[in-house]
């Protein structure tokens, strides 16, 4: 098997459904307050795929969604605790929280009057809740950076441990990837990360009680010193330019918050979106487009991940469908397909060897990133992995004669898992080994004569974790 085929096979075998897990319940008091904190999120999407993106929002967030008259944008309301799930959306490029929307803004007749209104606009806007969302987002990005550094350091340490790492779970190596968390995806999709979002929500809500936004303005002033205003304008009846609107509204923001304007090295990006008579003020939540989540090796016609997702979603893939991309380029479509529709079979190819190499490199980069973060698994995930592994092995092995040999360092977890699978597996022998200084065990198991029963057929699909 070639390196390309092997890398593709590994990616397609990865079960990435963990990102569907919901955010854990928070403390009752904080949770009650957060449920009442509803914010409007705006998202830019590939032009023409607005309906596809809106459908994804309704499906995954259970929120109503409207498509803007300004093409390439959608808007939806969420409780602030769902922020992590918003970042999990596959069809959106950039995200921002809406400060205020003017559906029919009355522009004055002259440029001077219009710009004068922009100069006075900042002090009239409800900044409080949007800035709370921005604080949660920013605080989390800082934690993400710390996690990344810690994972990189841990990855280097594991790489220097030689063969010792391989003792974690060799016998179930192929199943490890199918039950792992979606580490190759954006960091917001990790269920543990979503729990941190909940914690951050509580922290910010506890420190931002003033509905007028005055205390928040004072609290954020020492940390948030640099900002810029970006104006996106569409329409032919405006008597001002985008730069003029951004300049005068930016002056209003600077005067109100006492922030320092910086067009390149900024902490906060304030958005002024103008489409005909519709004006929307927002605060950016993404620094770079989410469509860059998968591709690291680009070609001359690299497809955006968000566009690839939209194309696949139009096909409404069903489990066991075979999805073929005969002109895969850098692999955006099969990578996105394997990520979101892991129960389909994906085939990709290209007549250009350079394109095939780029696709393989993109897959390898994602797998390397995953391995760097978590090595070959973790003991926490073993509590789900080992029972699932033994159950699947019992299905594959012939009753009465089938055998299995497994190597693991997590002996406590494996013993517990095996005790719950005694009806299909019997332990024959245990060999204690030392691998690279790690004390591990090799278990020889024999399949019992009892026939395999699928969990869905047992107890109406409700079965114990063992």
């Amino acid at each position: 098997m070639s390196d390309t085929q092997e890398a593709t096979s590994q990616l397609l075998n990865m079960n990435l459904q963990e990102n569907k897990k919901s955010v854990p319940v928070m403390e009752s008091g904080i949770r009650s307050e957060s449920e009442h904190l509803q914010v409007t999120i705006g998202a830019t999407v590939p032009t023409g795929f607005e309906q596809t993106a809106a459908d994804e929002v309704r499906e995954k967030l259970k929120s109503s969604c409207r498509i803007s008259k300004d093409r390439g944008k959608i808007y939806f309301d969420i409780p602030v605790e769902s922020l992590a799930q918003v970042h999990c959306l596959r069809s959106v490029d950039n995200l921002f929280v809406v400060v205020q929307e003017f559906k029919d803004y009355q522009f004055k007749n002259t440029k001077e009057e219009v710009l004068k209104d922009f100069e006075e606009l900042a002090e009239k806007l409800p900044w409080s809740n949007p800035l709370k969302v921005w604080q949660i987002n920013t605080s989390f990005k800082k934690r993400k950076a710390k996690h990344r550094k810690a994972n990189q350091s841990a990855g280097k340490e594991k790489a220097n441990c030689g063969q010792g790492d391989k003792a974690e779970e060799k016998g179930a190596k192929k199943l490890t990837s199918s039950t792992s968390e979606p580490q190759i995806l954006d960091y917001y999709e990790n269920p543990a990360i979503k729990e941190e979002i909940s914690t951050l929500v509580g922290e910010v809500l506890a420190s931002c009680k003033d509905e007028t936004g005055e205390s928040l303005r004072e609290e954020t002033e020492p940390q948030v010193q640099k900002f810029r205003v970006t104006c996106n304008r569409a329409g032919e009846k405006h008597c001002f330019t985008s730069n003029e609107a951004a300049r005068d509204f930016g002056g209003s923001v600077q005067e109100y918050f006492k922030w320092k304007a910086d067009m390149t090295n900024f902490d906060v990006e304030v958005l002024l979106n103008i489409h005909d008579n519709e004006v929307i003020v927002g605060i950016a939540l993404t620094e770079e487009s989410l469509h860059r989540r998968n591709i690291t090796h680009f070609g001359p016609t690299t497809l955006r991940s968000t566009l690839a997702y939209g194309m696949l979603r139009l096909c409404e893939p069903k489990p066991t469908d075979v999805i073929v991309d005969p002109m895969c380029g850098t692999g955006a479509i099969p990578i996105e397909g394997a990520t979101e529709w892991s129960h389909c079979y994906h085939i990709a190819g290209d007549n250009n060897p350079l394109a095939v190499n780029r696709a393989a490199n993109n897959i390898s980069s994602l797998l390397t990133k995953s391995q760097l973060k978590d090595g070959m698994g973790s003991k926490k995930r073993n509590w789900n992995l080992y029972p699932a592994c033994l159950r699947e092995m019992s299905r594959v092995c012939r009753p009465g004669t089938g055998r299995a040999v497994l190597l693991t360092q997590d002996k406590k977890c494996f013993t517990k898992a095996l005790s719950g699978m005694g009806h299909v597996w019997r332990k024959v022998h245990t060999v204690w080994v030392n691998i690279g200084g790690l004390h591990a065990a090799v278990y020889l198991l024999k399949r019992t004569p009892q026939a395999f029963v699928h969990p869905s057929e047992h107890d109406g699909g409700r079965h114990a974790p063992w």
Side-chain angles (χ1 to χ4, degrees):
M1 181 181 290
S2 68
D3 293 341
T4 302
Q5 292 173 319
E6 183 177 1
T8 304
S9 177
Q10 290 183 50
L11 180 65
L12 296 182
N13 284 331
M14 298 188 80
N15 186 341
L16 303 173
Q17 301 307 312
E18 288 294 324
N19 63 326
K20 303 295 192 300
K21 292 182 179 179
S22 60
V23 179
V25 176
M26 299 180 290
E27 294 291 335
S28 58
I30 294 175
R31 187 176 186 273
S32 176
E33 184 175 355
S34 67
E35 285 177 343
H36 292 88
L37 180 53
Q38 295 279 330
V39 294
T40 300
I41 300 295
T44 61
V45 302
T47 301
F49 281 89
E50 295 88 352
Q51 187 60 56
T52 300
D55 290 342
E56 185 190 12
V57 168
R58 298 185 187 104
E59 174 189 313
K60 295 182 178 179
L61 301 182
K62 311 303 180 185
S63 300
S64 60
C65 182
R66 68 176 180 84
I67 299 173
S68 173
K69 292 183 293 184
D70 187 8
R71 298 193 67 190
K73 292 186 179 67
I74 60 172
Y75 296 91
F76 48 94
D77 296 329
I78 61 162
V80 69
E81 63 181 7
S82 297
L83 180 62
Q85 293 167 292
V86 173
H87 284 271
C88 294
L89 296 173
R90 314 296 300 178
S91 57
V92 303
D93 288 323
N94 287 287
L95 297 166
F96 58 94
V97 57
V98 174
V99 177
Q100 187 162 346
E101 177 181 7
F102 302 91
K103 294 184 178 180
D104 188 20
Y105 189 91
Q106 297 299 313
F107 291 104
K108 300 292 178 58
N109 294 327
T110 67
K111 178 193 293 188
E112 290 73 18
E113 291 176 310
V114 172
L115 296 180
K116 180 65 175 178
D117 286 344
F118 283 144
E119 289 177 3
E120 301 172 350
L121 182 59
E123 62 182 16
K124 302 176 182 178
L125 299 176
W127 295 98
S128 179
N129 287 348
L131 278 173
K132 291 176 185 178
V133 175
W134 178 87
Q135 279 187 304
I136 294 170
N137 209 61
T138 302
S139 299
F140 184 71
K141 284 192 292 186
K142 292 179 180 178
R143 294 193 183 189
K144 175 226 174 182
K146 293 181 180 178
H147 281 303
R148 179 186 296 166
K149 292 180 180 178
N151 287 330
Q152 289 175 344
S153 299
K156 292 179 181 178
E157 291 177 2
K158 290 180 180 180
N160 293 331
C161 288
Q163 297 180 349
D165 295 333
K166 298 181 181 179
E168 183 66 30
E169 180 49 45
K170 186 174 182 179
K173 179 180 179 182
K174 292 184 178 180
L175 288 179
T176 302
S177 61
S178 66
T179 56
S180 64
E181 294 171 355
Q183 298 293 347
I184 70 169
L185 303 181
D186 189 84
Y187 61 93
Y188 284 95
E189 300 194 25
N190 188 323
I193 299 297
K194 293 181 181 180
E195 186 171 3
E196 289 194 42
I197 284 285
S198 297
T199 302
L200 285 170
V201 170
E203 292 174 355
V204 172
L205 290 177
S207 63
C208 303
K209 298 292 187 180
D210 191 345
E211 293 298 327
T212 65
E214 290 297 326
S215 63
L216 181 64
R217 178 159 52 127
E218 294 173 0
E219 291 174 11
T220 57
E221 183 179 341
Q223 294 82 21
V224 183
Q225 299 178 347
K226 300 178 181 179
F227 83 103
R228 83 171 185 186
V229 170
T230 301
C231 178
N232 301 297
R233 185 180 59 86
E236 300 178 354
K237 298 182 179 180
H238 301 138
C239 60
F240 56 90
T241 66
S242 298
N243 288 337
E244 290 171 336
R247 180 197 64 204
D248 289 69
F249 178 58
S252 176
V253 173
Q254 185 177 28
E255 179 65 24
Y256 182 68
F257 287 103
K258 308 303 181 184
W259 292 342
K260 180 181 179 181
D262 193 319
M263 299 302 293
T264 55
N265 185 26
F266 53 88
D267 300 299
V268 182
E269 183 176 22
V270 179
L271 304 176
L272 181 62
N273 295 330
I274 303 172
H275 180 78
D276 293 330
N277 285 343
E278 181 183 74
V279 176
I280 297 177
V281 179
I283 301 175
L285 299 179
T286 48
E287 294 178 359
E288 69 173 5
S289 178
L290 297 178
H291 81 263
R292 302 175 65 88
R293 57 180 172 257
N294 292 332
I295 306 301
T296 55
H297 295 77
F298 293 86
T301 58
T302 296
L303 195 65
R304 287 189 173 194
S305 297
T306 48
L307 185 55
Y309 172 86
M311 294 172 64
L312 285 162
R313 191 178 175 93
L314 288 177
C315 297
E316 299 181 349
K318 301 295 189 298
T320 73
D321 278 355
V322 178
I323 300 175
V324 182
D325 183 2
M327 297 170 280
C328 70
T330 52
I333 289 178
I335 289 175
E336 199 66 25
T339 298
E340 187 72 7
W341 293 277
S342 59
H343 295 300
C344 297
Y345 191 81
H346 302 266
I347 302 176
D350 201 289
N351 65 356
N352 187 332
L354 291 177
V356 174
N357 289 335
R358 291 190 186 105
N361 287 334
N362 281 322
I363 295 172
S364 297
S365 295
L366 295 173
L367 295 174
T368 300
K369 187 186 301 182
S370 172
Q371 293 164 0
L372 180 62
K373 288 183 178 180
D374 280 324
M376 294 184 64
S378 68
K379 289 188 176 181
K380 181 179 179 181
R381 289 207 302 267
N382 287 345
W383 292 94
N384 292 323
L385 170 64
Y386 286 4
C389 176
L390 291 172
R391 188 180 302 113
E392 180 66 7
M393 287 181 174
S394 69
R395 182 186 70 82
V396 174
C397 292
R398 187 188 303 275
T401 60
R403 296 173 298 282
V405 180
L406 300 100
L407 166 65
T408 180
Q409 183 197 5
D410 195 353
K411 300 177 285 293
K412 178 181 178 181
C413 182
F414 186 82
T415 301
K416 178 67 174 178
L418 186 60
S419 68
M421 300 295 293
H423 59 293
V424 290
W425 288 112
R426 179 174 61 86
K427 184 173 71 173
V428 178
H429 189 52
T430 303
V431 178
W432 305 102
V433 296
N434 186 305
I435 303 178
L438 298 177
H439 299 284
V442 176
Y443 296 93
L444 172 61
L445 309 179
K446 184 175 182 179
R447 183 70 165 81
T448 68
Q450 182 168 328
F452 172 81
V453 178
H454 194 278
S456 62
E457 302 173 6
H458 178 68
D459 194 24
R462 299 185 299 274
H463 57 281
W466 305 105

